[in-house]
Amino acid sequence: MAPIIRLAAGPLSIITGALFGTLSAPSSSPPPSGVGATIWGTDYTGTASFVDLISDSVPFPVAPTTPTNKKSNKKTPASLPLPPSSSLVYYNNTADNFTGCNKKIFTWDDTVVFMNPLQFGDIKADNSTCGEWIEIKNRENTARKTIAQIVGICNDCEYGSFSMTLGGLEGLAPDLPFDEMVFDRESTLSIDDLLHGEDELPTSTPVSPKDLLNVEWSLTDAPKKDEPEPIKPTTTTIAITTTTKTASPTPTKKPSNPDKPDEPEGGKMFTGRATWFSDNSGQCEHKFSQDDLIVAVNEAQMGKGKKICGKKILLTKKGSDVKVVVTVVDMCPSKYCKFGQLDISRAAFKKFASLDKGIMDLTWKFLD
């Protein structure tokens, strides 16, 4: 993959101070002894950061299969010890999901929290909050709240604070353009600096994922099945539509012109940096040519599995009438591509600009 500068992309919406203020409100103070760090019926204040599920988890070991039944000749996976995970969260590459501290599986769609070490407690003792549910409110907009489950440890979060998935952040502050931002842990720029700084900063400025929102939270009961589910992200995964036996499939209309395809209804739009690459094979294990209209999707949106291999993506560019449909054939690792960014073939890149340009902003969405 061609190296990509880790920058945010897309225009920022106008944010009012009533929704997002300077992160100056005090956070909760930890108890001196550490005992009773999290108590039912108590409200805690702190900040919410963004958790990168891939970076903050450890891949599950893939065990070889061993024969266990000579009569049936069936094979079962051999057990392997789990490698250490500082967050206590593991990524299941084959199933493209995660296993939390409570050994329960969660997905990209779920709103989950990685709690600060003191309020997470000792997983081997009775005082751990692993698996507990919390109700979270945005301190700048108390009408916005969500429910999330504690599934891991945020080792660099202070008392009262935690990191959470993108869907939870969007639910607490829907007017903030989280899905257009790219978070870089090496950046010293805060989201407040970007949105409310004295100097007008370019939108392509990397932002720290730390302390994005002022929050208030407390322990709560798990949501009942007949209650609304916690707010889930709509920007980080591909929606799967199920139909009943009586439903009939609707055929997809094929575009007559690949440069200007008919744009289907629906589909979340993303904006991000795009570069071109020169590989001829990738994660989807399909051979391809650089003459093909193909794309490698960023790791945050594709994961390490093959769920979206073969999906079609519509590419557009601001100020241009050109529209290009590309096929997903590969994944662009997170060290090169952040959320919203793409690596496209030379043929696709040349539809919009000369290869000498190297990098450009594109708007895109999944077609199926």
Side-chain angles (χ1 to χ4, degrees), residues 156-170:
D156 59 352
C157 287
E158 297 181 354
Y159 183 82
S161 300
F162 51 78
S163 59
M164 67 188 307
T165 44
L166 187 64
L169 293 170
E170 290 177 330

Side-chain angles (χ1 to χ4, degrees), residues 172-347:
L172 292 170
D175 290 346
L176 287 175
F178 287 120
D179 61 337
E180 298 175 3
M181 296 181 184
V182 173
F183 302 117
D184 187 344
R185 291 182 177 181
E186 298 177 1
S187 174
T188 58
L189 187 73
S190 71
I191 188 174
D192 194 49
D193 294 330
L194 181 65
L195 300 179
H196 306 292
E198 295 181 359
D199 298 327
E200 185 176 350
L201 298 171
T203 57
S204 59
T205 306
V207 177
S208 170
K210 295 292 294 179
D211 304 328
L212 299 174
L213 291 175
N214 283 316
V215 294
E216 177 182 302
W217 62 274
S218 60
L219 292 169
T220 190
D221 294 324
K224 297 180 180 179
K225 292 183 179 181
D226 57 349
E227 291 182 351
E229 290 292 328
I231 299 171
K232 296 184 178 181
T234 59
T235 59
T236 56
T237 58
I238 308 307
I240 299 176
T241 303
T242 58
T243 57
T244 62
K245 292 182 179 180
T246 59
S248 58
T250 302
T252 301
K253 182 180 179 181
K254 295 184 179 180
S256 56
N257 184 342
D259 282 353
K260 295 184 179 182
D262 297 326
E263 188 171 341
E265 296 180 357
K268 174 70 178 178
M269 301 298 294
F270 304 95
T271 299
R273 293 297 178 96
T275 58
W276 59 269
F277 68 115
S278 55
D279 296 344
N280 57 16
S281 63
Q283 180 167 300
C284 296
E285 298 181 349
H286 297 310
K287 291 292 183 180
F288 52 83
S289 165
Q290 283 300 312
D291 293 329
D292 299 328
L293 299 177
I294 53 175
V295 62
V297 176
N298 63 84
E299 186 173 349
Q301 289 178 276
M302 181 169 182
K304 295 183 178 179
K306 299 180 182 180
K307 181 183 293 185
I308 66 172
C309 287
K311 294 282 187 181
K312 302 293 183 181
I313 288 178
L314 174 67
L315 306 177
T316 59
K317 187 175 186 295
K318 185 177 180 180
S320 172
D321 293 330
V322 175
K323 297 181 181 180
V324 179
V325 173
V326 292
T327 303
V328 178
V329 298
D330 198 5
M331 180 269 288
C332 182
S334 57
K335 66 178 179 179
Y336 298 132
C337 295
K338 296 302 179 182
F339 185 93
Q341 296 181 343
L342 302 174
D343 219 359
I344 61 179
S345 64
R346 287 175 290 187

Side-chain angles (χ1 to χ4, degrees), residues 104-171:
K104 298 294 180 62
I105 291 175
F106 65 93
T107 71
W108 297 92
D109 288 341
D110 296 318
T111 300
V112 297
V113 159
F114 286 41
M115 184 58 69
N116 68 80
L118 187 57
Q119 292 185 286
F120 182 88
D122 184 357
I123 190 67
K124 298 180 181 179
D126 295 333
N127 68 340
S128 177
T129 57
C130 171
E132 295 286 356
W133 291 82
I134 61 174
E135 181 180 82
I136 311 165
K137 298 178 182 179
N138 180 349
R139 279 193 279 168
E140 309 300 334
N141 182 1
T142 55
R144 304 301 307 183
K145 63 181 181 180
T146 188
I147 297 176
Q149 187 174 32
I150 300 172
V151 298
I153 303 175
C154 175
N155 289 285
D156 59 352
C157 287
E158 297 181 354
Y159 183 82
S161 300
F162 51 78
S163 59
M164 67 188 307
T165 44
L166 187 64
L169 293 170
E170 290 177 330

Side-chain angles (χ1 to χ4, degrees), residues 11-82:
L12 294 176
S13 58
I14 299 176
I15 310 300
T16 64
L19 177 63
F20 184 87
T22 303
L23 289 171
S24 57
S27 298
S28 298
S29 300
S33 64
V35 178
T38 313
I39 302 174
W40 277 84
T42 302
D43 292 330
Y44 299 94
T45 55
T47 61
S49 302
F50 168 70
V51 59
D52 184 340
L53 290 176
I54 292 294
S55 299
D56 293 331
S57 62
V58 172
F60 241 115
V62 178
T65 56
T66 55
T68 58
N69 190 326
K70 293 182 179 180
K71 293 183 179 179
S72 62
N73 200 30
K74 291 184 178 180
K75 295 183 178 181
T76 58
S79 60
L80 288 179
L82 291 176

